[in-house]
Amino acid sequence: SRKEKMKLWQMMALGAMAGIAFVIRYQMCIALLAILLYVVIIDKRYKESIITSSAAIMVIALCFLPDVWLYGHWTFTPYNYFYENIVEGYAKYFGEYGIIRYIYEILREGMFIFSGIILFTWGYYIWKNPRDIITWITVSYVVAHFFISHKEPRFLFPMLGFSPYFIVYTMKNIYKDYSYFTSRHRTAIKFVISINCIALLYITLKGDTTVSYYHTIYDMCRNSPTDVCLINTANGSFAYHY
């Protein structure tokens, strides 16, 4: 509850989890900043913001020490990541495309049906809850990635965890009377579930084609230094083309 008082250990725990989330995936700073702004601007929880932010900074500082120890000099990896990829623009060398293409790739990766359902229910939730914290988190995270030159659908994966909530929320509000579900609706739901199961089975059996590539390189080089020549066998830059 927004009006419920938080205990000190709860604030510290939330801050620690926020710090860990940032260390594991630097892009999460976008979502974490959205949460901080929401708590300060909308909820006006200034004390909680200071304590949780302090705990997050402490965790990030602790993770900073192993970098200094292992690299052998003073360095801050998140800053290096930001500077090289955003400021210097090296991220674009991994490929870049515009916003329209990005939206298409997101739809394609989700086989259009599933991604379409997620985008529709997400849009419905935003429309109904413009001042909700989940709206702030998801919108800020997704929009920020639209302005990064190198775009991949997988970058938005952390936001996928909200999709079941969006779907259930939309169904609950659109069909407030569950008796409204006809046999046609049930058939459509079974159809979607069937496609999902087939797609999961296909991906599971097919596997990632780059895995064998990395295993081969590892087996060739693990015992002693080895010169390995990579020959491109296709008009592409991915590992499995070599």
Side-chain angles (χ1 to χ4, degrees), residues 86-158:
I86 305 301
V87 178
E88 293 292 332
Y90 285 109
K92 66 182 180 181
Y93 294 111
F94 292 95
E96 59 179 343
Y97 41 76
I99 295 176
I100 301 300
R101 171 72 184 277
Y102 195 30
I103 295 173
Y104 168 78
E105 290 295 329
I106 293 171
L107 289 168
R108 186 182 67 84
E109 288 285 339
M111 298 176 64
F112 294 98
I113 296 175
F114 306 112
S115 50
I117 292 173
I118 293 171
L119 289 176
F120 171 76
T121 54
W122 178 48
Y124 181 83
Y125 185 87
I126 294 171
W127 176 51
K128 288 289 187 179
N129 305 275
R131 290 169 59 87
D132 187 74
I133 188 170
I134 297 178
T135 298
W136 280 52
I137 295 170
T138 55
V139 170
S140 60
Y141 190 88
V142 172
V143 171
H145 280 81
F146 282 155
F147 294 95
I148 298 175
S149 59
H150 177 56
K151 303 177 180 67
E152 291 186 38
R154 65 184 179 89
F155 294 161
L156 306 181
F157 184 76

Side-chain angles (χ1 to χ4, degrees), residues 139-210:
V139 170
S140 60
Y141 190 88
V142 172
V143 171
H145 280 81
F146 282 155
F147 294 95
I148 298 175
S149 59
H150 177 56
K151 303 177 180 67
E152 291 186 38
R154 65 184 179 89
F155 294 161
L156 306 181
F157 184 76
M159 297 297 103
L160 195 61
F162 291 107
S163 58
Y165 178 66
F166 295 146
I167 294 171
V168 172
Y169 177 88
T170 302
M171 292 178 65
K172 181 179 178 181
N173 282 271
I174 292 179
Y175 300 111
K176 294 183 179 179
D177 181 7
Y178 286 98
S179 63
Y180 180 82
F181 276 95
T182 63
S183 60
R184 187 179 300 176
H185 289 104
R186 296 188 182 93
T187 301
I189 292 172
K190 291 177 181 178
F191 175 71
V192 171
I193 292 174
S194 300
I195 293 179
N196 189 43
C197 292
I198 295 171
L200 286 174
L201 180 64
Y202 170 75
I203 293 298
T204 302
L205 295 177
K206 179 176 180 291
D208 188 347
T209 52
T210 60

